[in-house]
Amino acid sequence: AAAELVEVDGVNYYRVSVNLPVGEALDDIKLTVTLNSGNTTVDANWTLSVLKYAKSVINGNYNDTTQDLMKDMLVYASASHTYFENALDADKAAEVTALLANHSKAMPEGEAKKPTDTTYFTTVGVNVGAVPSFRFYLAAGYTKDNFSFKVGNRTVEATEGNDKYGDYLEVTMYAYMMLDDVTFTVKGTDVTESYNLYSYYTYAKTLGNANLTAVVEALMKYSVSAAEYRNAVIGA
């Protein structure tokens, strides 16, 4: 990953961004820094991880909202490691278990919504990656130009893509947005329909895959904590 120079409170820092698929979220990140000064070269190495950061917050002097965010993130990440068959080693698994001792959160409740008409999209699904998204698979004859999208009351831009299921329009959903309705409107018509994670959860439970169900449940709970944390930070 390339480093970029950023300024924070008048101080220059080098920032390195690493995108982690959710099934690798708790893997170690190896960082090596080489500093050349005159005839001297200094090498430094660090091992970083989301788990180490979460542990420092959970064991630190932070409020309940922040610590709950870290705990629900760990639940989601741990469930994702299991679902994507990237099991944590024994030491990390034990750390996660200890950090989550006595932690629980009720499942959020909401109305499941999905399009009732397949004229415009053949199906809608959830893609779980570094950033979760909803994918609307286009029916024949339709393109991105035929639709506008909103998440809650916010207009959002869909991106085009293609996978083994066909062409799709993808709406990126940050954690705090995951329980919001994604609404599409067919331009030039009065057709407006919605999709949400509650609907996907209903579908996931029919598949008989306990690991998938656990990931979706963890994502839903994490979304609640992420929204609460965001609201606390921005004063909403």
Side-chain angles (χ1 to χ4, degrees), residues 3 8 18 39 46 74 86 100 113 120 128 151 173 175 206 211:
V8 179
V18 178
N39 295 322
W46 290 275
L74 283 180
N86 181 27
L100 296 177
K113 298 179 183 180
Y120 310 102
V128 178
V151 176
M173 301 288 290
T206 69
N211 290 339

Side-chain angles (χ1 to χ4, degrees), residues 127-151:
N127 179 57
V128 178
V131 180
S133 64
F134 289 166
R135 288 182 175 176
F136 294 75
Y137 287 86
L138 289 159
Y142 290 93
T143 69
K144 177 181 176 179
D145 293 339
N146 295 117
F147 305 98
S148 61
F149 286 87
K150 285 188 175 182
V151 176

